[in-house]
Every structure is written in structure tokens, then in C-alpha cells.
Amino acid sequence: MAMANNKRKCFTCHRENNTYTCEGCSKRFCLVHLNEHEQKFNEELSHIINDYNEFKERINEQKQNPHNHSLIKQIDQWGIKSIEIIQQKAQDCRQVVIESLQTCINDIEKKFNDLTEQIKQLQKENDFNEINLNRLTNQLIEITQELNNPSNISIQQDSQSVIDDISIILLKKPKFNKWKQNAITVAGGNGEGQQLNQLHHPLGIFINEKKNIFIADCWNHRIVEWEYSENEGQIIVGGNIQGNRMDKLRSPTNVIVDQRNHSFIVADCGNRRVIQWMNQKQEILIPDIACYGLAMDKNGFLYVSDVGKNEVRRWKMGEYNNEGIVVAGGNGQGNQLNQLNSPAFIFIDEDQSIYVSDQNNHRVMKWRKGAKEGTVVAGGNGKGENLNQLSSPDGVVVDHLGQIYVADFGNDRVIRWCEGKEEGEIVVGGNGEENQLNQLNGPCGLSFDGEGNLYVADYSAHRIQKFEIIL
């Protein structure tokens, strides 16, 4: 909890002594009062745990006794006041509410179990401060409000008639997006080659706010920018000849654009390095790494998947001269929950959870921030073409609803997986491995633009496909 000490005044006793900084509140304390400060956190955590236990009892009570919910009581009061001919409708309404409440409670219970795991992790690591406690408290308040007042169901009464009418209003669940099955080729598509209107096995892609596409054109050893609606691209990094000089690339696999400083960061896989291009200057950020996937979170941390060490590491912006921190895998090659086998593309969500396409295990793993092992969120049932299987997955993207989109390379399809489901559903492709507009041939990189259109790097067809969203 505390940082390095030096002679400064303690916040509590105001004596000048060796003091330590609390990372949570940035105040300094002597050793005696630092221990008291930490004890206060332990006491507050105990209070939160007690609140969580009470909340768990409430969930169990509502699951066992759904008829005690306030919405049901409203229906009962109306039924007593009304005549017998509307009692059947009251019973129908009860059934709708009970079913909806059970669904709502199950969803809340999942969130509660997730919070329980976070508390266990904090207790196990004994590394928490005010920030952690406030976050846990706020999350408990949110799901408590959701339990007390479900947002997807309400009662509507009509008092215009002699006898009050009653009805149940269920809010619709979010509509899952769909895309046109015939794509538009927006880059390449003119055969394998190195001309500016051609690509040669494209891998990673990045779409900016102008809908310009940045492509890791792997076998052309270059990064190409393809402006919106243009018929050819322009080389912005590397060239058509591989090399290990600063201005050359060898089989790049991924590219991201850091829009804060308008730089390009490239996974120069063949040269075992991550390079940054900024203002026409090149800099090796991370040397000697079997890099494949790249991602950057909202705080500017850079994540890199290492297919050699079977791990994902994170670096803080501007601090690339160290080894970084292992945030997924790093326990040797394998298929256990704390292992990876050839990690490829990665995606970081708002909570800094890491999604990794675990290629040779034919699954996608999710590692929560600080977790010691991941969970399987797609595939994991062996290599295959069934809807509960994947085959050498590559690109992975997660939308704002938490739905996971996977470039299922070996099955020539993009599949959508909702966390916790037994199987996924095909979004596009899955119609064979030819070059028709409704087909994919080894899909790799995935990306969405601001309108929700889906872009796929069609590796073996040497093109980038745009699937337009159906509104």
C-alpha cells in the first residue's frame, strides 16, 4: 500500500519523521499511523462484506419467494378490489411478472457473484485502498437499486373505465445488430500483389473516425492507409521489400493508431519488435518480443501479445524501457485457465479486462484486471465447426453490450458469442472459403466504424470486406 519513505510530516500526528505515502489517498503517514490507516480499510472492507452477505440473503429470499415482491403486492391489491371476471387477468399478469423477475434476479446474481470474486481477490492479495473500496461500494449500490426497482418491467393502470384495468409493461431487450450478408470490398480485392490497389495477406486493421483503414499488409511488409472510398492505398510505414532497418518491416501483424499524438504503433513480428512512427521518426518501443496483437486502453497503456512466451504484457505510456507487466498467461504453453497457447489478437474493454484469441487452444479467454487466471468466453470445446467450437480464432472485438465477435479463421466466418452462453451465432461468412461477397477466406482482423459497420481482413482473399449494418 505504501510507497518509499523519506523525512516528511505525518498527516495524523504532524511529526516530522520517516513517512510513507498511501497510494489510495496520496497522504503521508508515519509507520504507527500508517498501520492505523490500513486497519481502518480492513474494518471498512469487513462492513462491505457484511453488506454483501446481507444482500446475498435478500437475493436468495426473493428467488425462493418471488410472490413477496412489491409489484406482485400491487397486483394483489387490485385483484381484491376488482370483481371475479378480471381475476384471471390478474393471474396472467402475476405469471409474466414472476418470469421477468426471475430473469432479472438471475442477471443481478451474476453481477453479485462477479463482485464476490473481486472481494476474494482483494482479500487474497491484501492490496486495496479507498479507490477499490469506493468502487465496490458503488457497484453494490447499483445492483441493490436494480434489485429493488427492475428497470425492464413496470405496472400501467387505466382508470378511465368503471373498473380499473391493469397491464404489465415489459421493456424490450437490446436489439442484437445484424449485417448485410454480401460485403463491399473497401481495400484490395484485385488479387495477390504489391501494387497500391492490391494486398498480400492482410492481418490486423484499424479504422479511424474518418473511416480510413490502416492495414498490416503482412507479406508486403508494409502498413497501408486506405482512405474512405478510394480505389488504392498509400504506404505509410515500410515497403514492399522486407528488412530490419528502422524504415523497414518484416511480416507485420498488427497496427494501431494512437490518436492522442497521431502516431502509428506496429507489431513488427518478423523483426521481433514493436515500433512507433511519429512525425516521420521511427523508434523501437519494445525490442526482442515475438509480438502479434496490439491494443491500447483508455488510459494509454499498451498491451502486446507474445506468441513465443504465450503471454500478454502491459506497458505504461513512455515507460517502455522495462519488461512490462504480465497481465494474461505467462505460465508456459498449455490449455489450463492460467495458460495460453499462441495468443494472437487482443481487445481491452472499459474495465481493462483483456480478451485474447488463444489460437492453438481454439478459444477466446477473458482475463479481468489483476486476475491470476482467465475464463473461457468463446469456444474451448476443441477444434471444430460446430457453434460451440472455434478453429484457430484470430481477431476479437467486444461491443458495448459485452458481445464478443471472433474471426473464426479456420471456419471462414465471424461468430458472435455472448459471455456465459454455450454457443455462438454466425454473423457473416460461413459459406465456404471462396472469394464471393458472402464468403470469407481465412478472416483475421476485425473492427467496427462509428456507424456499426463491420470490417474484416480477409487474409487469403487479399482484401478488406465491409459488412454494412442493417438499421
Side-chain angles (χ1 to χ4, degrees):
M1 173 180 171
M3 298 175 61
N5 61 329
N6 55 23
K7 296 273 187 178
R8 292 191 184 179
K9 287 184 179 181
C10 171
F11 179 80
T12 302
C13 66
H14 305 295
R15 294 179 180 176
E16 187 169 301
N17 204 337
N18 287 338
T19 59
Y20 304 78
T21 299
C22 170
E23 293 181 344
C25 65
S26 300
K27 296 174 182 176
R28 304 185 69 86
F29 301 88
C30 64
L31 187 57
V32 172
H33 292 107
L34 178 65
N35 291 334
E36 293 179 359
H37 195 55
E38 292 178 337
Q39 182 60 32
K40 183 181 72 172
F41 296 156
N42 288 320
E43 293 173 357
E44 292 180 7
L45 182 60
S46 296
H47 290 316
I48 291 177
I49 292 173
N50 289 335
D51 292 340
Y52 272 65
N53 291 334
E54 292 178 3
F55 186 81
K56 185 174 183 180
E57 292 178 4
R58 293 184 61 192
I59 286 182
N60 291 334
E61 180 182 354
Q62 289 208 18
K63 287 183 69 176
Q64 296 171 4
N65 302 293
H67 290 82
N68 290 336
H69 197 277
S70 61
L71 292 174
I72 299 300
K73 292 179 180 179
Q74 288 184 49
I75 296 172
D76 290 339
Q77 291 171 0
W78 170 85
I80 293 172
K81 289 167 44 179
S82 303
I83 59 178
E84 291 185 357
I85 59 174
I86 60 172
Q87 287 181 343
Q88 182 59 50
K89 184 171 184 179
Q91 181 56 35
D92 293 341
C93 290
R94 289 189 188 97
Q95 188 61 37
V96 173
V97 171
I98 289 171
E99 292 175 356
S100 299
L101 285 175
Q102 291 289 6
T103 300
C104 180
I105 291 171
N106 289 338
D107 291 340
I108 293 173
E109 188 174 35
K110 289 180 182 178
K111 296 178 182 178
F112 172 76
N113 291 336
D114 180 64
L115 292 178
T116 302
E117 289 301 317
Q118 294 183 48
I119 288 179
K120 289 180 181 178
Q121 192 70 30
L122 285 175
Q123 289 179 304
K124 181 178 179 181
E125 297 179 355
N126 194 27
D127 181 19
F128 51 88
N129 52 44
E130 292 99 328
I131 297 173
N132 305 130
L133 298 178
N134 289 338
R135 176 173 54 80
L136 291 174
T137 300
N138 290 335
Q139 290 179 353
L140 178 58
I141 291 172
E142 289 178 4
I143 62 173
T144 299
Q145 292 173 344
E146 190 174 350
L147 182 66
N148 292 337
N149 300 293
S151 59
N152 68 330
I153 181 171
S154 63
I155 301 292
Q156 178 173 294
Q157 290 180 265
D158 180 9
S159 59
Q160 299 301 313
S161 59
V162 176
I163 299 176
D164 289 354
D165 195 8
I166 189 170
S167 60
I168 303 300
I169 300 175
L170 296 177
L171 300 181
K172 293 181 178 180
K173 292 185 177 181
K175 178 183 176 181
F176 289 164
N177 290 334
K178 294 184 178 181
W179 290 265
K180 295 179 180 179
Q181 294 303 294
N182 283 348
I184 300 171
T185 301
V186 291
N190 297 300
E192 168 193 318
Q194 59 181 220
Q195 301 300 315
L196 291 180
N197 69 341
Q198 294 179 305
L199 297 171
H200 194 350
H201 290 92
L203 272 170
I205 54 176
F206 184 97
I207 315 293
N208 70 4
E209 68 280 358
K210 298 179 181 178
K211 298 185 184 178
N212 293 349
I213 311 169
F214 298 83
I215 308 165
D217 192 8
C218 184
W219 288 15
N220 277 328
H221 314 291
R222 66 190 184 186
I223 303 299
V224 178
E225 178 182 7
W226 213 290
E227 294 187 358
Y228 182 66
S229 297
E230 291 296 325
N231 294 322
E232 62 180 33
Q234 56 180 329
I235 300 172
I236 58 172
V237 178
N240 297 325
I241 301 176
Q242 63 179 329
N244 59 8
R245 296 186 332 194
M246 288 294 292
D247 61 342
K248 296 294 182 182
L249 298 173
R250 178 179 285 120
S251 303
T253 54
N254 212 342
V255 56
I256 58 176
V257 180
D258 186 352
Q259 301 189 67
R260 282 169 289 199
N261 56 19
H262 304 289
S263 68
F264 306 95
I265 300 177
V266 179
D268 190 11
C269 186
N271 284 322
R272 294 181 56 84
R273 64 190 183 184
V274 177
I275 297 185
Q276 181 182 48
W277 264 258
M278 183 167 61
N279 298 327
Q280 304 301 318
K281 295 181 180 179
Q282 303 88 31
E283 177 186 6
I284 297 177
L285 296 182
I286 306 169
D288 193 26
I289 180 172
C291 50
Y292 193 104
L294 298 175
M296 183 172 287
D297 67 21
K298 61 183 179 181
N299 297 317
F301 286 91
L302 179 65
Y303 299 73
V304 185
S305 62
D306 187 330
V307 294
K309 295 181 178 179
N310 296 292
E311 65 186 18
V312 178
R313 286 183 179 263
R314 182 185 70 204
W315 280 264
K316 187 176 182 179
M317 181 186 295
E319 297 182 5
Y320 301 112
N321 56 349
N322 55 41
E323 294 183 352
I325 299 173
V326 176
V327 291
N331 296 297
Q333 182 184 101
N335 60 5
Q336 302 300 309
L337 293 179
N338 68 342
Q339 294 178 307
L340 299 169
N341 188 351
S342 191
F345 284 92
I346 51 181
F347 181 89
I348 314 299
D349 69 12
E350 288 293 312
D351 298 324
Q352 292 182 298
S353 293
I354 305 152
Y355 296 79
V356 189
S357 55
D358 194 10
Q359 279 190 324
N360 291 345
N361 284 325
H362 311 291
R363 66 188 184 183
V364 175
M365 300 293 291
K366 177 182 180 180
W367 290 64
R368 297 188 183 278
K369 183 181 179 181
K372 300 301 181 185
E373 62 180 31
T375 56
V376 180
V377 293
N381 297 299
K383 181 179 180 180
E385 61 182 16
N386 295 323
L387 290 179
N388 68 341
Q389 294 178 304
L390 297 171
S391 177
S392 302
D394 237 329
V396 57
V397 178
V398 183
D399 67 14
H400 68 284
L401 296 175
Q403 299 174 111
I404 305 154
Y405 296 79
V406 185
D408 194 5
F409 181 89
N411 288 321
D412 305 301
R413 65 191 183 187
V414 175
I415 193 165
R416 173 169 56 199
W417 216 291
C418 296
E419 187 174 347
K421 296 295 184 181
E422 295 293 329
E423 60 183 31
E425 61 175 328
I426 298 173
V427 174
V428 295
N431 301 305
E433 58 178 16
E434 299 302 324
N435 300 335
Q436 301 301 312
L437 294 179
N438 70 337
Q439 295 177 310
L440 294 171
N441 193 347
C444 287
L446 296 180
S447 187
F448 289 106
D449 64 20
E451 297 176 355
N453 300 308
L454 174 62
Y455 295 74
V456 183
D458 202 7
Y459 181 78
S460 297
H462 316 290
R463 63 187 181 180
I464 308 299
Q465 298 295 85
K466 174 184 176 182
F467 293 88
E468 294 185 320
I469 191 169
I470 299 175
L471 300 176

